[in-house]
Structure formats: structure tokens, C-alpha cells
Amino acid sequence: DAGVIQSPRHEVTEMGQEVTLRCKPISGHNSLFWYRQTMMRGLELLIYFNNNVPIDDSGMPEDRFSAKMPNASFSTLKIQPSEPRDSAVYFCASSSTSAINEQFFGPGTRLTVL
Amino acid sequence: QKEVEQNSGPLSVPEGAIASLNCTYSDRGSQSFFWYRQYSGKSPELIMSIYSNGDKEDGRFTAQLNKASQYVSLLIRDSQPSDSATYLCAPSDYNFNKFYFGSGTKLNVKP
């Protein structure tokens, strides 16, 4: 079975550029989560969706960050404009609320903003 | 602010010993609790979940939960060098959906 798929795996960009991260959840899962991990702040929840609807975006750091889930099999996290402090590993995770809500993580996207 | 506290370590144990990882949490409404293992440069991997007070065993892993004390632990028996990783504790909210991750405990198992 395919797990959570994220792309790209690595992204290097310059300050001010737009960055789009992509995620495909596990088939049949109806909740999707975007996390950011840094050494200083650990693993932080940015936003999560349930049945394609954003439920809690309180972790989104500022208006430069936006996330969408146009259908059950695809989500994007966009940063515009990007800043060096956005450098981190961004993880997408998915779960099924019909089961026991265990979250399964994708491989992550390592973002470096120069 | 819902807090999850873990000793950052590193916790060093010899091969074959029992490793004990501890976690306390502030949200009394938390209903489910998860342990993730994260190797350096990799994504978190779910290894255990526990929902009721008491112990839950899965192979060499035992999770222990005490909701009254707001405490959850993970025991790893017969520790192996391949167990060397960072272990993240994650209570959920009362809806079972949103997880709050601790900062993790780094475990080193010495051959």
C-alpha cells in the first residue's frame, strides 16, 4: 500500500519566492495534517483538514502561509513570499476518523530559503 | 496552551537493557496517546498507541498510561542499537483528531 506521498522532497529557493509543497494522503483517509519541524520549535501542527474542509489553522504562522485541499487525494501548502526563517522540514500526515485516528506521516519536504 | 513534556536526553542504555521513556501532558481531556519513533533525517513513525489506563504490550514495546497522573511512558525491552532514535510522545485532543507532540527524547543504545 502506498503511504503518504509528498513532493518535492527537497526545495531550495531564494527569499521572496513562492514555494508550493504537495501532499497525497493515504487512500481512504479523510483527515490531513500539515506539520513543520525545526530544531528550535520541534514538530508544530500548522493546519488540518477533515473531509477536505480546513478545521483548525491556528498554527499557520502568518498570512504568507496558505493551504488548500481541493479533493480527497491532494493538498498544497503555499508560502508566498518565502523568508529564511521558513526553512524547516514540512511533513504531511493523514488519518482515518473512522478508525482510531492514528496519523501516518509522509517523508517530508526539506525547505531551504536562502 | 497544551503542553507535553519529555526529557530531551540523550538517554543512553547498553544493548539488551530496558529503556524507559517518560512523558507528561497538561490536557486532562486527552483521550488517546501515541508514541512515534523518528530516525535522524526521517519522518516520524507510529510505534504504539494507548487509550486506557494500564499497560499495553506489543513485542518489545510496552506503553503505560496513567490518566489521573497525566503520565504516559514507553518501555523498550532488550534494547537494540537499531532502537537508537528520537521518541516523540503525542497525546490527542478530546476529539481524538489533533495531536500535541512533545519535543522528543533521544535514545542511544550502545552495543
mmCIF file of all heavy atoms in Angstrom, chain A residues 31 33 35 37 43 45 48 56 58 91 95 97 100-103 105-107, chain B residues 34 36 38 41-44 46 49 51 88 93 95-99 101-102:
data_model
loop_
_atom_site.group_PDB
_atom_site.id
_atom_site.type_symbol
_atom_site.label_atom_id
_atom_site.label_comp_id
_atom_site.label_asym_id
_atom_site.label_seq_id
_atom_site.Cartn_x
_atom_site.Cartn_y
_atom_site.Cartn_z
ATOM 1 N N SER A 31 -8.692 12.678 6.985
ATOM 2 C CA SER A 31 -8.093 13.825 7.673
ATOM 3 C C SER A 31 -6.664 13.998 7.182
ATOM 4 O O SER A 31 -5.941 13.009 6.978
ATOM 5 C CB SER A 31 -8.103 13.618 9.194
ATOM 6 O OG SER A 31 -9.404 13.698 9.705
ATOM 7 N N PHE A 33 -3.072 16.515 7.686
ATOM 8 C CA PHE A 33 -2.395 17.438 8.598
ATOM 9 C C PHE A 33 -1.117 17.943 7.937
ATOM 10 O O PHE A 33 -0.386 17.166 7.317
ATOM 11 C CB PHE A 33 -2.024 16.718 9.902
ATOM 12 C CG PHE A 33 -3.190 16.040 10.571
ATOM 13 C CD1 PHE A 33 -3.630 14.796 10.140
ATOM 14 C CD2 PHE A 33 -3.839 16.645 11.631
ATOM 15 C CE1 PHE A 33 -4.703 14.170 10.749
ATOM 16 C CE2 PHE A 33 -4.911 16.024 12.250
ATOM 17 C CZ PHE A 33 -5.344 14.787 11.807
ATOM 18 N N TYR A 35 2.468 19.683 9.122
ATOM 19 C CA TYR A 35 3.333 19.994 10.257
ATOM 20 C C TYR A 35 4.621 20.636 9.746
ATOM 21 O O TYR A 35 5.040 20.427 8.610
ATOM 22 C CB TYR A 35 3.727 18.714 11.014
ATOM 23 C CG TYR A 35 2.635 18.033 11.784
ATOM 24 C CD1 TYR A 35 1.832 17.057 11.193
ATOM 25 C CD2 TYR A 35 2.421 18.323 13.131
ATOM 26 C CE1 TYR A 35 0.848 16.399 11.924
ATOM 27 C CE2 TYR A 35 1.445 17.673 13.865
ATOM 28 C CZ TYR A 35 0.667 16.713 13.251
ATOM 29 O OH TYR A 35 -0.302 16.068 13.976
ATOM 30 N N GLN A 37 8.715 21.065 11.206
ATOM 31 C CA GLN A 37 9.654 20.640 12.240
ATOM 32 C C GLN A 37 10.966 21.396 12.121
ATOM 33 O O GLN A 37 11.578 21.426 11.054
ATOM 34 C CB GLN A 37 9.923 19.123 12.168
ATOM 35 C CG GLN A 37 10.743 18.601 13.337
ATOM 36 C CD GLN A 37 10.869 17.092 13.340
ATOM 37 O OE1 GLN A 37 11.066 16.465 12.305
ATOM 38 N NE2 GLN A 37 10.726 16.473 14.515
ATOM 39 N N LEU A 43 8.082 19.730 16.467
ATOM 40 C CA LEU A 43 7.064 19.415 15.472
ATOM 41 C C LEU A 43 5.810 20.223 15.789
ATOM 42 O O LEU A 43 5.187 20.045 16.829
ATOM 43 C CB LEU A 43 6.772 17.918 15.525
ATOM 44 C CG LEU A 43 5.984 17.279 14.411
ATOM 45 C CD1 LEU A 43 6.696 17.454 13.073
ATOM 46 C CD2 LEU A 43 5.790 15.799 14.701
ATOM 47 N N LEU A 45 1.991 21.639 14.539
ATOM 48 C CA LEU A 45 0.855 21.494 13.632
ATOM 49 C C LEU A 45 0.525 22.858 13.028
ATOM 50 O O LEU A 45 0.319 23.830 13.750
ATOM 51 C CB LEU A 45 -0.358 20.948 14.374
ATOM 52 C CG LEU A 45 -1.640 20.823 13.551
ATOM 53 C CD1 LEU A 45 -1.481 19.771 12.456
ATOM 54 C CD2 LEU A 45 -2.814 20.474 14.450
ATOM 55 N N TYR A 48 -5.069 21.501 9.857
ATOM 56 C CA TYR A 48 -5.566 20.198 9.459
ATOM 57 C C TYR A 48 -6.938 20.311 8.823
ATOM 58 O O TYR A 48 -7.708 21.233 9.109
ATOM 59 C CB TYR A 48 -5.502 19.172 10.585
ATOM 60 C CG TYR A 48 -6.610 19.186 11.622
ATOM 61 C CD1 TYR A 48 -7.770 18.445 11.452
ATOM 62 C CD2 TYR A 48 -6.447 19.876 12.818
ATOM 63 C CE1 TYR A 48 -8.747 18.412 12.428
ATOM 64 C CE2 TYR A 48 -7.417 19.846 13.795
ATOM 65 C CZ TYR A 48 -8.569 19.110 13.606
ATOM 66 O OH TYR A 48 -9.539 19.076 14.578
ATOM 67 N N ASP A 56 -8.793 23.517 11.591
ATOM 68 C CA ASP A 56 -8.018 24.289 12.569
ATOM 69 C C ASP A 56 -6.763 24.799 11.882
ATOM 70 O O ASP A 56 -5.899 24.003 11.519
ATOM 71 C CB ASP A 56 -7.668 23.412 13.770
ATOM 72 C CG ASP A 56 -6.961 24.182 14.882
ATOM 73 O OD1 ASP A 56 -6.435 25.289 14.622
ATOM 74 O OD2 ASP A 56 -6.930 23.676 16.015
ATOM 75 N N SER A 58 -4.983 27.375 13.316
ATOM 76 C CA SER A 58 -4.401 28.250 14.328
ATOM 77 C C SER A 58 -2.884 28.185 14.367
ATOM 78 O O SER A 58 -2.229 29.076 14.902
ATOM 79 C CB SER A 58 -4.967 27.917 15.715
ATOM 80 O OG SER A 58 -4.703 26.573 16.058
ATOM 81 N N PHE A 91 6.100 18.298 7.032
ATOM 82 C CA PHE A 91 5.515 16.966 6.932
ATOM 83 C C PHE A 91 4.017 17.057 6.689
ATOM 84 O O PHE A 91 3.334 17.921 7.237
ATOM 85 C CB PHE A 91 5.730 16.164 8.219
ATOM 86 C CG PHE A 91 7.148 15.762 8.475
ATOM 87 C CD1 PHE A 91 7.889 16.371 9.473
ATOM 88 C CD2 PHE A 91 7.741 14.741 7.739
ATOM 89 C CE1 PHE A 91 9.198 15.995 9.736
ATOM 90 C CE2 PHE A 91 9.052 14.354 7.985
ATOM 91 C CZ PHE A 91 9.783 14.985 8.984
ATOM 92 N N SER A 95 -4.943 10.572 8.395
ATOM 93 C CA SER A 95 -5.559 9.599 9.293
ATOM 94 C C SER A 95 -6.994 9.350 8.857
ATOM 95 O O SER A 95 -7.558 10.079 8.045
ATOM 96 C CB SER A 95 -5.538 10.101 10.745
ATOM 97 O OG SER A 95 -6.448 11.170 10.929
ATOM 98 N N THR A 97 -10.762 9.017 10.394
ATOM 99 C CA THR A 97 -11.569 9.230 11.599
ATOM 100 C C THR A 97 -12.532 8.079 11.839
ATOM 101 O O THR A 97 -13.185 8.019 12.866
ATOM 102 C CB THR A 97 -12.351 10.541 11.514
ATOM 103 O OG1 THR A 97 -13.114 10.554 10.303
ATOM 104 C CG2 THR A 97 -11.420 11.736 11.530
ATOM 105 N N ILE A 100 -9.027 4.674 14.399
ATOM 106 C CA ILE A 100 -8.612 5.183 15.709
ATOM 107 C C ILE A 100 -7.710 6.401 15.578
ATOM 108 O O ILE A 100 -6.941 6.706 16.445
ATOM 109 C CB ILE A 100 -7.938 4.085 16.531
ATOM 110 C CG1 ILE A 100 -6.899 3.325 15.675
ATOM 111 C CG2 ILE A 100 -8.961 3.123 17.077
ATOM 112 C CD1 ILE A 100 -6.152 2.276 16.422
ATOM 113 N N ASN A 101 -7.827 7.066 14.451
ATOM 114 C CA ASN A 101 -7.191 8.364 14.259
ATOM 115 C C ASN A 101 -5.674 8.340 14.318
ATOM 116 O O ASN A 101 -5.061 9.361 14.582
ATOM 117 C CB ASN A 101 -7.710 9.379 15.281
ATOM 118 C CG ASN A 101 -9.130 9.788 14.971
ATOM 119 O OD1 ASN A 101 -9.865 9.051 14.325
ATOM 120 N ND2 ASN A 101 -9.518 10.960 15.412
ATOM 121 N N GLU A 102 -5.067 7.195 14.077
ATOM 122 C CA GLU A 102 -3.617 7.150 14.042
ATOM 123 C C GLU A 102 -3.145 7.933 12.824
ATOM 124 O O GLU A 102 -3.656 7.737 11.718
ATOM 125 C CB GLU A 102 -3.134 5.702 13.965
ATOM 126 C CG GLU A 102 -3.464 4.891 15.196
ATOM 127 C CD GLU A 102 -3.083 3.431 15.057
ATOM 128 O OE1 GLU A 102 -2.983 2.965 13.912
ATOM 129 O OE2 GLU A 102 -2.889 2.781 16.095
ATOM 130 N N GLN A 103 -2.184 8.794 13.041
ATOM 131 C CA GLN A 103 -1.670 9.617 11.949
ATOM 132 C C GLN A 103 -0.420 8.974 11.364
ATOM 133 O O GLN A 103 0.475 8.548 12.102
ATOM 134 C CB GLN A 103 -1.331 11.022 12.455
ATOM 135 C CG GLN A 103 -2.559 11.819 12.876
ATOM 136 C CD GLN A 103 -2.219 13.239 13.277
ATOM 137 O OE1 GLN A 103 -1.168 13.774 12.921
ATOM 138 N NE2 GLN A 103 -3.126 13.872 14.014
ATOM 139 N N PHE A 105 2.720 9.611 8.672
ATOM 140 C CA PHE A 105 3.458 10.725 8.109
ATOM 141 C C PHE A 105 4.066 10.393 6.748
ATOM 142 O O PHE A 105 4.486 9.247 6.491
ATOM 143 C CB PHE A 105 4.601 11.131 9.052
ATOM 144 C CG PHE A 105 4.151 11.954 10.224
ATOM 145 C CD1 PHE A 105 3.459 11.368 11.275
ATOM 146 C CD2 PHE A 105 4.410 13.308 10.277
ATOM 147 C CE1 PHE A 105 3.031 12.132 12.356
ATOM 148 C CE2 PHE A 105 3.996 14.081 11.348
ATOM 149 C CZ PHE A 105 3.308 13.482 12.388
ATOM 150 N N GLY A 106 4.137 11.411 5.920
ATOM 151 C CA GLY A 106 4.888 11.308 4.676
ATOM 152 C C GLY A 106 6.369 11.525 4.938
ATOM 153 O O GLY A 106 6.773 11.803 6.077
ATOM 154 N N PRO A 107 7.181 11.415 3.883
ATOM 155 C CA PRO A 107 8.638 11.519 4.050
ATOM 156 C C PRO A 107 9.127 12.934 4.327
ATOM 157 O O PRO A 107 10.257 13.119 4.762
ATOM 158 C CB PRO A 107 9.186 11.011 2.715
ATOM 159 C CG PRO A 107 8.094 11.297 1.741
ATOM 160 C CD PRO A 107 6.811 11.103 2.493
ATOM 161 N N PHE B 34 -0.072 8.471 21.738
ATOM 162 C CA PHE B 34 0.697 7.817 20.693
ATOM 163 C C PHE B 34 2.187 8.021 20.922
ATOM 164 O O PHE B 34 2.616 9.064 21.417
ATOM 165 C CB PHE B 34 0.302 8.384 19.321
ATOM 166 C CG PHE B 34 -1.166 8.258 19.028
ATOM 167 C CD1 PHE B 34 -2.058 9.224 19.448
ATOM 168 C CD2 PHE B 34 -1.654 7.154 18.347
ATOM 169 C CE1 PHE B 34 -3.429 9.104 19.204
ATOM 170 C CE2 PHE B 34 -3.011 7.024 18.089
ATOM 171 C CZ PHE B 34 -3.891 7.994 18.517
ATOM 172 N N TYR B 36 5.753 7.888 18.737
ATOM 173 C CA TYR B 36 6.373 7.845 17.426
ATOM 174 C C TYR B 36 7.885 7.729 17.599
ATOM 175 O O TYR B 36 8.466 8.293 18.526
ATOM 176 C CB TYR B 36 6.058 9.126 16.627
ATOM 177 C CG TYR B 36 4.654 9.197 16.081
ATOM 178 C CD1 TYR B 36 3.581 9.562 16.894
ATOM 179 C CD2 TYR B 36 4.405 8.895 14.744
ATOM 180 C CE1 TYR B 36 2.291 9.618 16.384
ATOM 181 C CE2 TYR B 36 3.110 8.966 14.225
ATOM 182 C CZ TYR B 36 2.074 9.324 15.055
ATOM 183 O OH TYR B 36 0.804 9.387 14.540
ATOM 184 N N GLN B 38 11.457 8.500 15.538
ATOM 185 C CA GLN B 38 11.967 9.276 14.415
ATOM 186 C C GLN B 38 13.478 9.113 14.341
ATOM 187 O O GLN B 38 14.219 9.551 15.228
ATOM 188 C CB GLN B 38 11.604 10.769 14.552
ATOM 189 C CG GLN B 38 11.975 11.582 13.330
ATOM 190 C CD GLN B 38 11.467 13.018 13.383
ATOM 191 O OE1 GLN B 38 11.241 13.580 14.448
ATOM 192 N NE2 GLN B 38 11.267 13.623 12.213
ATOM 193 N N GLY B 41 16.833 12.490 10.194
ATOM 194 C CA GLY B 41 16.606 12.750 8.779
ATOM 195 C C GLY B 41 15.389 12.041 8.188
ATOM 196 O O GLY B 41 15.170 12.118 6.975
ATOM 197 N N LYS B 42 14.624 11.360 9.030
ATOM 198 C CA LYS B 42 13.440 10.624 8.556
ATOM 199 C C LYS B 42 12.175 11.206 9.177
ATOM 200 O O LYS B 42 12.225 12.083 10.030
ATOM 201 C CB LYS B 42 13.576 9.138 8.914
ATOM 202 C CG LYS B 42 14.806 8.469 8.336
ATOM 203 C CD LYS B 42 14.771 8.433 6.815
ATOM 204 C CE LYS B 42 15.950 7.659 6.256
ATOM 205 N NZ LYS B 42 15.944 7.673 4.767
ATOM 206 N N SER B 43 11.041 10.684 8.730
ATOM 207 C CA SER B 43 9.768 11.154 9.262
ATOM 208 C C SER B 43 9.365 10.340 10.487
ATOM 209 O O SER B 43 9.846 9.220 10.687
ATOM 210 C CB SER B 43 8.692 11.058 8.177
ATOM 211 O OG SER B 43 8.539 9.732 7.733
ATOM 212 N N PRO B 44 8.490 10.887 11.336
ATOM 213 C CA PRO B 44 8.007 10.129 12.494
ATOM 214 C C PRO B 44 7.252 8.878 12.062
ATOM 215 O O PRO B 44 6.450 8.908 11.125
ATOM 216 C CB PRO B 44 7.076 11.128 13.199
ATOM 217 C CG PRO B 44 7.537 12.469 12.743
ATOM 218 C CD PRO B 44 7.984 12.266 11.333
ATOM 219 N N LEU B 46 4.821 5.760 13.566
ATOM 220 C CA LEU B 46 3.990 5.341 14.697
ATOM 221 C C LEU B 46 4.405 3.959 15.184
ATOM 222 O O LEU B 46 4.512 3.021 14.386
ATOM 223 C CB LEU B 46 2.523 5.316 14.267
ATOM 224 C CG LEU B 46 1.509 4.894 15.315
ATOM 225 C CD1 LEU B 46 1.431 5.929 16.434
ATOM 226 C CD2 LEU B 46 0.127 4.713 14.689
ATOM 227 N N SER B 49 0.121 2.927 20.336
ATOM 228 C CA SER B 49 -0.982 3.779 20.738
ATOM 229 C C SER B 49 -1.613 3.170 21.978
ATOM 230 O O SER B 49 -1.599 1.944 22.153
ATOM 231 C CB SER B 49 -2.017 3.898 19.619
ATOM 232 O OG SER B 49 -2.502 2.616 19.243
ATOM 233 N N TYR B 51 -5.044 3.851 24.897
ATOM 234 C CA TYR B 51 -6.248 4.639 25.125
ATOM 235 C C TYR B 51 -6.791 4.481 26.546
ATOM 236 O O TYR B 51 -7.515 5.344 27.028
ATOM 237 C CB TYR B 51 -7.347 4.221 24.142
ATOM 238 C CG TYR B 51 -6.857 4.228 22.719
ATOM 239 C CD1 TYR B 51 -6.396 3.067 22.120
ATOM 240 C CD2 TYR B 51 -6.820 5.411 21.984
ATOM 241 C CE1 TYR B 51 -5.917 3.083 20.820
ATOM 242 C CE2 TYR B 51 -6.345 5.426 20.689
ATOM 243 C CZ TYR B 51 -5.896 4.259 20.126
ATOM 244 O OH TYR B 51 -5.410 4.278 18.838
ATOM 245 N N LEU B 88 8.941 10.423 20.176
ATOM 246 C CA LEU B 88 8.009 11.524 20.361
ATOM 247 C C LEU B 88 6.721 11.016 21.001
ATOM 248 O O LEU B 88 6.132 10.035 20.536
ATOM 249 C CB LEU B 88 7.669 12.165 19.007
ATOM 250 C CG LEU B 88 8.847 12.709 18.199
ATOM 251 C CD1 LEU B 88 8.402 13.049 16.777
ATOM 252 C CD2 LEU B 88 9.430 13.933 18.865
ATOM 253 N N ASP B 93 -6.244 15.512 21.305
ATOM 254 C CA ASP B 93 -7.248 16.316 21.989
ATOM 255 C C ASP B 93 -8.488 15.460 22.232
ATOM 256 O O ASP B 93 -8.522 14.285 21.895
ATOM 257 C CB ASP B 93 -7.567 17.577 21.191
ATOM 258 C CG ASP B 93 -8.253 17.270 19.861
ATOM 259 O OD1 ASP B 93 -8.491 16.089 19.545
ATOM 260 O OD2 ASP B 93 -8.524 18.233 19.124
ATOM 261 N N ASN B 95 -11.228 15.338 20.833
ATOM 262 C CA ASN B 95 -11.848 14.865 19.595
ATOM 263 C C ASN B 95 -11.071 13.734 18.943
ATOM 264 O O ASN B 95 -11.476 13.257 17.877
ATOM 265 C CB ASN B 95 -11.977 16.019 18.603
ATOM 266 C CG ASN B 95 -13.208 16.863 18.856
ATOM 267 O OD1 ASN B 95 -14.194 16.376 19.398
ATOM 268 N ND2 ASN B 95 -13.143 18.117 18.466
ATOM 269 N N PHE B 96 -9.974 13.348 19.545
ATOM 270 C CA PHE B 96 -9.111 12.274 19.034
ATOM 271 C C PHE B 96 -8.379 12.664 17.749
ATOM 272 O O PHE B 96 -7.671 11.850 17.171
ATOM 273 C CB PHE B 96 -9.901 10.994 18.730
ATOM 274 C CG PHE B 96 -10.580 10.389 19.914
ATOM 275 C CD1 PHE B 96 -11.846 10.806 20.283
ATOM 276 C CD2 PHE B 96 -9.960 9.405 20.647
ATOM 277 C CE1 PHE B 96 -12.476 10.247 21.378
ATOM 278 C CE2 PHE B 96 -10.597 8.837 21.739
ATOM 279 C CZ PHE B 96 -11.848 9.256 22.110
ATOM 280 N N ASN B 97 -8.543 13.908 17.295
ATOM 281 C CA ASN B 97 -8.031 14.227 15.973
ATOM 282 C C ASN B 97 -6.717 14.994 15.991
ATOM 283 O O ASN B 97 -5.781 14.642 15.287
ATOM 284 C CB ASN B 97 -9.082 15.029 15.200
ATOM 285 C CG ASN B 97 -9.070 14.704 13.725
ATOM 286 O OD1 ASN B 97 -8.519 13.693 13.300
ATOM 287 N ND2 ASN B 97 -9.690 15.544 12.948
ATOM 288 N N LYS B 98 -6.640 16.011 16.818
ATOM 289 C CA LYS B 98 -5.461 16.874 16.834
ATOM 290 C C LYS B 98 -4.469 16.343 17.849
ATOM 291 O O LYS B 98 -4.818 16.076 18.994
ATOM 292 C CB LYS B 98 -5.909 18.290 17.217
ATOM 293 C CG LYS B 98 -4.834 19.346 17.167
ATOM 294 C CD LYS B 98 -5.465 20.714 17.408
ATOM 295 C CE LYS B 98 -4.425 21.810 17.394
ATOM 296 N NZ LYS B 98 -5.047 23.148 17.595
ATOM 297 N N PHE B 99 -3.216 16.174 17.414
ATOM 298 C CA PHE B 99 -2.164 15.666 18.292
ATOM 299 C C PHE B 99 -1.296 16.825 18.773
ATOM 300 O O PHE B 99 -1.066 17.792 18.045
ATOM 301 C CB PHE B 99 -1.260 14.683 17.548
ATOM 302 C CG PHE B 99 -1.897 13.363 17.206
ATOM 303 C CD1 PHE B 99 -3.242 13.124 17.394
ATOM 304 C CD2 PHE B 99 -1.119 12.342 16.669
ATOM 305 C CE1 PHE B 99 -3.814 11.911 17.070
ATOM 306 C CE2 PHE B 99 -1.681 11.119 16.336
ATOM 307 C CZ PHE B 99 -3.026 10.899 16.531
ATOM 308 N N PHE B 101 2.507 17.217 20.030
ATOM 309 C CA PHE B 101 3.759 16.468 20.104
ATOM 310 C C PHE B 101 4.703 17.076 21.131
ATOM 311 O O PHE B 101 4.862 18.312 21.207
ATOM 312 C CB PHE B 101 4.454 16.458 18.738
ATOM 313 C CG PHE B 101 3.880 15.456 17.795
ATOM 314 C CD1 PHE B 101 2.800 15.773 16.986
ATOM 315 C CD2 PHE B 101 4.424 14.180 17.706
ATOM 316 C CE1 PHE B 101 2.258 14.840 16.124
ATOM 317 C CE2 PHE B 101 3.888 13.242 16.837
ATOM 318 C CZ PHE B 101 2.813 13.571 16.048
ATOM 319 N N GLY B 102 5.348 16.192 21.904
ATOM 320 C CA GLY B 102 6.439 16.625 22.742
ATOM 321 C C GLY B 102 7.675 16.853 21.895
ATOM 322 O O GLY B 102 7.701 16.553 20.696
#
